[in-house]
């Protein structure tokens, strides 16, 4: 038989549902006209067949609500066309159908996909295509990860939040109970279980756990185990089919605990009626939405609107079906978002509006529960209210509860919480296993800011934590990497390593040290009275060169040594020496850091200026030419002008750990995560020096950390021509090489300036 999911008039759902005499199947073929300017095309998959077919009504009601909107004139003059396919609750089919929706049907967005594993299957694809994945119908926390998946947004309260609400209620009302849990053996069930355990905090024992698979034909063995545990509280985190089984089997076994069912399986028509009224009296659950027949809670006007809609557009679906209410709410919220888009129906604006929902209270939601989103919060609903099935209906009771503890966003709070429930040694091992200590620089320095940026972007709970350590600069960082327990890596300057090697201060340092990547270039700043016009004039003068462990100290004495200049050195932090310079107590201040320096940027003194540093031949082996412009230092450089200087290379370096060591593994975590997120670090508000980072750039004379080289070979292979020039075996180039894989002269502005300078000098020599 051939059936079209349709309302009495033209339906928004254009998928054909084919039901054969021997069974049912959904056609993979659907006619879709090219989207026009007067159309908003939406894609959806739903389990019309399979183990979760009870949820198919959600998509049917969403489409019916969009039909209602079309009948009333559409959205901002446009009709809404929702194309839906049956995925049978199978992730592989969800993926195939979603590709078809995006690549063949040209939908603007994906809406209301049902299920945890099904949504997880399409989330990376939709985000890579920058297609909005709106209102994923699963309570998994994965839909609220705006940094990782900015194009995905959830709808339901998370499974974790709901389970924590159950835990709150049990702790308050059954503090001496014993708990048994039946859960679906997948991401959904495991998140529910984790939320319950986190909410209980070890204060009440879970004496039995029993998982089931969606393909199981019965749960008799699981129920027997749970009853035998002696539990007086039974919680089931199940889909409707298994909720019915559990309720019936509990009654057959004569087991009458305090029985909780998840909100995804508390529908009157889909669960309560099939399970039998005699078996459900006293059943407990939590809700954010109302039941379809709860006129008193909904209010007269809202209930009348809901009833009229159901009767006219989906008369075949019972108003007592809670999934119909869910579809109605999703339809209403979708229309709210699309109306807010106005005439800008770009995918970017759709996501923008979906992230700006504030204090929305939809009809047929529990009173007091609001929908809120923001760019950092993709979980629209975070509240629920407990309810009990009494005298043939669900009755709400108690306060509106939040399943989200504001303090839970703090990893430190979580750690302290675990401290009371775990052995100190186990907890310490867990926390230390993936923590990387990184030596940076003094307060306010470029190194310190870069370290803070890394911690902001890379920290990911216990998976990886970056611990920036304030230091004094490059020399101390080298010493700490060599000698200090717990220091895994540090930001050091290439010329510091070269100086130590040349002076033989550290035996065999080239084999002890490796670099992860060149980070950025650091410019030499020489601040002096206007009477000093060149570096040569500093010979015999009193010059501040920072503290003896600093990066500036090493570069300054190296530059002076190479230029044959012998000043009298003062060891003071440059930012603290400005008054000394103004009083004539010193003749110049040298600071070598990434421009612009905050303290130097604030100086506006007509008696002071930046002394040019000529790119003399003795400096060309270790340094690059650079410039300090008026935009960097408006109080020291005339508008539109610049001062020539040199730049030293800063690298992320570490000890040459053995590949089988824990320190090597830990540093590899830093490498993998940092390289993956270079593009993010190169955008504001992070330090502008990140824009100079080129992971592929080499540091002449030094060996790259093995795991870093392997990451680059996998993800940024050299083009065949570059590999041949370097003597390496050519690797296949990707279809579109990332920007960071370009040659140094294409990525590094200072290196490009150096090449231009060298060409100019060569031309001048030829013309002589």
């Amino acid at each position: 038989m051939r059936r079209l999911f349709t309302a009495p008039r033209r339906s928004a759902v254009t998928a054909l549902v084919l039901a054969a005499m021997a069974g049912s199947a959904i056609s993979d073929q659907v006619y879709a006209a090219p989207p026009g300017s007067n159309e908003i095309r939406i894609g959806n998959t739903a389990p019309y067949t399979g183990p979760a077919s009870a949820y198919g009504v959600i998509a049917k009601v969403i489409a019916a609500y969009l039909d209602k909107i079309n009948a009333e004139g559409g959205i901002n003059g446009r009709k809404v066309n929702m194309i839906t396919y049956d995925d049978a609750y199978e992730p592989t089919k969800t993926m195939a159908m979603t590709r078809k929706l995006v690549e063949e049907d040209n939908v603007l967005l994906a809406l209301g996909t049902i299920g945890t594993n099904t949504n997880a299957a399409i989330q990376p694809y939709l985000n890579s295509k920058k297609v909005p994945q709106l209102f994923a119908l699963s309570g998994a926390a994965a839909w609220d990860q705006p940094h990782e998946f900015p194009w995905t947004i959830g709808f339901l309260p998370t499974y974790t939040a709901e389970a924590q609400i159950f835990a709150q209620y049990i702790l308050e009302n059954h503090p001496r109970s014993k708990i048994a849990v039946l859960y679906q053996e997948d991401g959904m069930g495991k998140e529910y279980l984790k939320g319950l355990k986190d909410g209980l905090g070890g204060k009440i024992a879970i004496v039995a756990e029993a998982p089931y698979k969606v393909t199981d034909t019965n749960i008799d063995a699981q129920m027997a185990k749970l009853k035998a545990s002696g539990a007086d509280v039974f919680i089931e985190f199940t889909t409707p089919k298994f909720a019915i089984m559990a309720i019936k089997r509990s009654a057959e076994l004569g087991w009458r605990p305090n029985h909780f069912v998840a909100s995804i399986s508390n529908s009157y028509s889909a669960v309560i009626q099939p399970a039998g009224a005699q078996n459900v009296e006293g059943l407990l659950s939590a809700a954010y939405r109302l039941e379809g027949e709860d006129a008193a809670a909904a209010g007269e006007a809202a209930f009348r609107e809901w009833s009229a809609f159901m009767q006219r557009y989906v008369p075949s679906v019972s108003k007592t079906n809670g999934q119909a209410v869910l579809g109605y709410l999703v339809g209403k919220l979708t229309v709210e978002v699309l109306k807010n888009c106005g005439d800008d129906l770009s995918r970017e604006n759709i996501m923008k509006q979906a992230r700006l929902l504030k204090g929305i209270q939809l009809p047929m939601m529990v009173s007091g529960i609001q929908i809120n989103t923001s760019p950092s919060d993709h979980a629209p609903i975070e509240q629920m209210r407990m309810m009990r099935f009494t005298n043939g209906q669900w009755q709400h009771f108690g306060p509106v509860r939040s399943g989200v503890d504001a303090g839970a966003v703090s990893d430190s709070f979580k750690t302290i919480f675990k401290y009371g429930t775990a052995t100190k040694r186990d907890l310490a091992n867990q926390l230390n296993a993936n923590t990387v200590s990184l030596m940076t620089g003094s307060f306010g320095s470029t190194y310190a800011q870069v370290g803070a940026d890394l911690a902001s972007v890379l920290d990911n709970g216990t998976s990886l934590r970056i611990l920036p350590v304030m230091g004094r600069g490059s020399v101390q960082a080298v010493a700490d990497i060599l000698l200090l327990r717990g220091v895994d890596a540090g930001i050091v300057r290439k010329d510091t390593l070269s100086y130590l090697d040349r002076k033989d201060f550290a035996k065999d340092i080239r084999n002890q040290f490796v670099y992860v990547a060149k980070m950025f270039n650091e410019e030499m700043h020489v601040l002096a009275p206007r009477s000093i016009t060149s570096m040569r004039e500093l010979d015999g003068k009193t010059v501040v060169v920072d503290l003896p462990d600093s990066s500036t100290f090493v570069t300054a004495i190296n530059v002076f040594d190479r230029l044959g200049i012998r000043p009298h050195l003062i060891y003071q932090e440059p930012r603290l020496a400005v008054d000394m310079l103004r009083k004539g107590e010193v003749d110049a201040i040298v600071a070598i850091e990434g421009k612009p320096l905050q303290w130097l940027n604030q100086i506006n003194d007509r008696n002071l200026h930046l002394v040019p540093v000529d790119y003399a031949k003795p400096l060309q082996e270790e340094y690059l030419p650079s410039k300090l412009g008026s935009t960097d230092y408006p109080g020291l450089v005339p508008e539109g002008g610049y001062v020539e200087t040199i730049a030293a290379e800063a690298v992320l370096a570490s000890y040459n750990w053995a590949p089988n060591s824990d320190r090597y593994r830990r540093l590899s975590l830093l490498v993998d995560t940092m390289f993956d997120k270079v593009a993010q670090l190169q955008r504001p508000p992070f330090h502008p020096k990140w824009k100079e980072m080129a992971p592929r750039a080499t540091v002449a004379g030094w060996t790259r950390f093995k795991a870093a080289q392997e990451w680059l070979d996998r993800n940024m292979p050299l083009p065949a021509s570059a590999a041949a020039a370097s003597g390496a075996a050519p690797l296949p180039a990707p279809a579109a090489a990332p920007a960071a894989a370009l040659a140094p002269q294409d990525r590094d502005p200072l290196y490009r300036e150096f090449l231009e300078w060298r060409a100019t000098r060569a031309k001048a020599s030829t013309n002589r």
Side-chain angles (χ1 to χ4, degrees):
M1 143 181 136
R2 206 168 174 225
R3 194 176 73 193
L4 180 65
F5 278 171
T6 180
R9 58 193 68 215
R10 178 183 179 273
S11 174
V13 182
T14 60
L16 296 178
V17 180
L18 303 179
M21 294 292 290
S24 297
I26 299 296
S27 169
D28 287 343
Q29 300 298 318
V30 61
Y31 173 76
S37 60
N38 63 341
E39 178 188 28
I40 303 172
R41 186 170 290 192
I42 294 173
N44 167 267
T45 69
Y48 298 112
T49 60
S53 58
Y55 293 139
V57 71
I58 299 172
K60 184 175 181 180
V61 173
I62 294 173
Y65 188 79
L66 297 177
D67 283 340
K68 172 182 179 294
I69 296 301
N70 285 337
E72 295 168 354
I75 297 175
N76 300 327
R78 296 178 175 88
K79 298 291 183 180
V80 185
N81 180 15
M82 176 172 150
I83 304 170
T84 182
Y85 294 115
D86 180 26
D87 61 16
Y89 211 53
E90 296 175 9
T92 53
K93 193 164 188 179
T94 308
M95 184 69 245
M97 295 295 96
T98 301
R99 280 187 177 276
K100 180 176 175 61
L101 286 165
V102 172
E103 297 171 16
E104 297 181 29
D105 299 325
N106 299 314
V107 298
L108 194 58
L109 60 99
L111 173 68
T113 300
I114 297 164
T116 298
N117 292 341
T118 46
N119 272 292
I122 62 176
Q123 185 180 30
Y125 168 75
L126 290 173
N127 276 263
S128 70
K129 293 287 188 179
K130 298 185 177 181
V131 175
Q133 183 182 11
L134 288 193
F135 310 138
L137 293 179
S138 148
W143 326 136
D144 183 22
Q145 297 184 39
H147 294 297
E148 295 293 326
F149 297 104
W151 295 86
T152 299
I153 196 163
F155 182 83
L156 304 174
T158 64
Y159 301 136
T160 299
E162 181 179 345
Q164 292 203 12
I165 286 172
F166 284 176
Q168 292 171 22
Y169 175 79
I170 294 168
L171 286 167
E172 292 170 11
N173 296 278
H174 305 283
R176 300 183 184 279
S177 60
K178 292 186 290 184
I179 301 172
V181 182
L182 175 71
Y183 67 96
Q184 189 159 294
E185 195 172 21
D186 62 4
M188 176 199 81
K190 291 173 182 176
E191 282 197 35
Y192 263 127
L193 184 60
K194 181 183 182 302
L196 179 66
K197 290 179 177 178
D198 287 349
L200 293 172
K203 296 173 184 175
I204 299 178
I206 297 177
V207 296
E209 301 173 13
Y212 70 87
K213 292 182 169 61
V214 293
T215 53
D216 288 348
T217 55
N218 69 74
I219 51 171
D220 292 353
Q222 289 94 330
M223 292 299 294
K225 172 187 174 182
L226 296 175
K227 181 192 176 186
S229 71
D232 54 0
V233 169
F234 172 39
I235 303 175
E236 50 169 294
F237 300 132
T238 63
T239 50
K241 172 183 172 181
F242 293 93
I244 296 167
M245 289 185 193
I247 294 169
K248 286 184 173 180
R249 190 59 181 160
S250 181
E252 291 167 1
L253 293 171
W255 185 32
R256 297 287 183 182
N258 290 295
H259 191 162
F260 293 73
V261 294
S263 63
I264 58 174
S265 295
N266 62 22
S267 166
Y268 182 85
S269 62
V271 175
I272 303 301
Q273 281 184 322
Q278 71 279 10
N279 299 324
V280 295
E281 188 69 19
L283 194 66
L284 291 156
S285 190
Y288 61 92
R289 56 172 170 74
L290 300 174
E291 288 300 296
E293 292 285 9
D294 196 345
E300 183 180 349
F303 186 76
R304 186 168 58 247
E305 179 187 342
W306 151 257
S307 296
F309 160 71
M310 290 296 292
Q311 184 173 347
R312 180 174 182 184
Y313 287 93
V314 270
S316 62
V317 177
S318 170
K319 289 200 293 287
T320 63
N321 190 328
Q323 308 306 337
V325 179
L326 174 54
Y328 181 72
L329 295 175
V330 173
K332 273 189 164 293
L333 193 59
T334 302
V335 170
E336 178 83 12
V337 170
L338 294 175
K339 282 183 176 178
N340 289 344
C341 288
D343 291 330
D344 181 2
L345 279 168
S346 63
R347 287 169 170 165
E348 290 79 6
N349 193 40
I350 289 171
M351 280 309 302
K352 177 182 177 182
Q353 299 307 321
R355 295 189 192 105
L356 295 176
L357 302 172
K358 302 298 177 191
I360 294 175
Q361 293 183 290
L362 295 175
M364 301 305 292
M365 284 185 68
V366 172
S367 177
I369 294 180
Q370 297 182 340
I371 290 174
N372 288 285
T373 60
S374 75
S376 61
D377 181 4
H378 284 197
I381 304 173
E382 296 178 334
Q383 300 165 304
M384 302 182 83
R385 194 178 179 201
M386 291 297 298
M387 63 182 187
R388 181 183 288 110
F389 196 81
T390 305
N391 297 324
Q393 63 180 357
W394 286 110
Q395 295 183 2
H396 298 97
F397 66 91
V400 169
R401 296 174 182 267
S402 173
V404 178
D405 176 5
V409 300
S410 165
D411 285 332
S412 296
F413 272 140
K414 293 176 187 174
T415 299
I416 295 167
F417 173 78
K418 290 178 184 176
Y419 187 83
T421 59
T423 67
K424 284 189 280 186
R425 176 172 293 181
D426 289 345
L427 182 57
N429 289 341
Q430 181 184 3
L431 292 175
N432 283 283
N434 298 321
T435 295
V436 177
S437 296
L438 177 70
M439 289 304 303
T440 63
S442 59
F443 180 79
S445 68
T446 306
Y447 289 7
Q449 292 177 64
V450 166
D453 290 346
L454 281 170
S456 296
V457 173
L458 305 191
D459 273 13
N460 187 20
T462 56
S463 300
L464 176 63
R465 184 179 175 196
I466 306 299
L467 198 64
V469 180
M470 286 288 187
R472 293 180 178 175
S474 192
V475 180
Q476 187 191 51
V478 172
D480 289 342
I481 291 169
L482 286 171
L483 302 172
L484 199 62
R485 289 190 182 96
V487 173
D488 298 290
I491 303 173
V492 302
R493 201 166 287 155
K494 176 190 168 185
D495 66 349
T496 301
L497 297 174
S498 300
Y499 187 85
L500 292 171
D501 182 45
R502 188 168 68 252
K503 296 290 186 179
D504 201 24
F505 285 162
K507 184 180 179 182
D508 198 25
I509 193 171
R510 287 186 183 269
N511 287 326
Q512 293 184 68
F513 261 72
V514 290
Y515 74 95
V516 172
K518 177 187 169 181
M519 299 292 284
F520 46 82
N521 299 305
E522 297 185 276
E523 292 78 17
M524 186 170 191
H525 304 75
V526 182
L527 182 67
R530 291 189 174 275
S531 57
I532 294 177
T533 60
S534 72
M535 289 287 287
R536 289 286 173 194
E537 294 174 33
L538 294 179
D539 194 40
K541 295 290 196 298
T542 302
V543 180
V544 173
V545 290
D546 208 339
L547 302 176
D549 293 329
S550 70
S551 308
T552 289
F553 165 75
V554 178
T555 301
I557 62 175
N558 191 41
V559 169
F560 288 143
D561 184 49
R562 287 176 175 271
L563 294 178
I565 298 170
R566 299 289 181 269
H568 174 61
L569 303 181
I570 299 294
Y571 307 116
Q572 173 68 281
E573 286 188 47
R575 64 193 176 102
L576 303 179
V578 177
D579 280 344
M580 296 170 64
L581 182 65
R582 285 181 172 136
K583 293 175 182 177
E585 296 172 4
V586 297
D587 297 301
I589 298 172
V590 175
I592 301 157
E593 290 186 44
K595 66 178 182 181
L597 278 68
Q598 184 177 8
W599 65 268
L600 191 57
N601 178 269
Q602 295 171 353
I603 292 177
N604 188 355
D605 189 327
R606 65 173 62 185
N607 297 317
L608 301 177
H609 77 141
L610 292 170
V611 179
V613 183
D614 184 45
Y615 192 49
K617 187 173 182 180
L619 303 179
Q620 294 172 17
E621 180 183 351
E622 289 188 350
Y623 301 103
L624 295 169
S626 187
K627 296 175 182 178
L628 306 172
S630 57
T631 55
D632 302 314
Y633 304 106
L636 295 169
V637 180
E639 185 175 356
Y642 64 88
V643 175
E644 289 189 349
T645 189
I646 61 170
E649 299 173 82
V651 300
L652 181 61
S654 79
Y655 188 75
N656 192 9
W657 303 108
N660 59 350
S661 67
D662 185 64
R663 304 296 282 276
Y664 182 96
R665 177 195 63 80
R666 210 179 303 179
L667 193 58
S668 297
L669 283 175
L670 168 65
V671 168
D672 290 347
T673 312
M674 181 181 73
F675 280 5
D676 281 339
K677 297 191 175 182
V678 167
Q680 182 179 347
L681 286 160
Q682 291 179 334
R683 296 192 295 266
F686 302 111
H687 197 286
K689 277 293 176 180
W690 280 108
K691 294 177 182 177
E692 295 178 9
M693 184 179 178
R696 256 294 176 196
T698 57
V699 179
W702 296 88
T703 303
R704 196 189 296 270
F705 176 55
K706 185 171 182 287
Q709 188 61 55
E710 289 171 349
W711 189 97
L712 291 168
D713 291 341
R714 287 193 310 271
N715 297 281
M716 295 181 179
L718 285 169
S721 58
S726 66
L731 294 167
L742 298 174
Q745 62 265 32
D746 296 322
R747 288 282 297 148
D748 188 334
L750 287 182
Y751 191 78
R752 189 165 59 249
E753 287 183 18
F754 164 68
L755 294 180
E756 293 169 355
W757 174 88
R758 189 170 63 181
T760 302
R761 289 289 289 264
K763 184 177 180 181
S765 298
T766 303
N767 293 335
R768 282 182 188 147

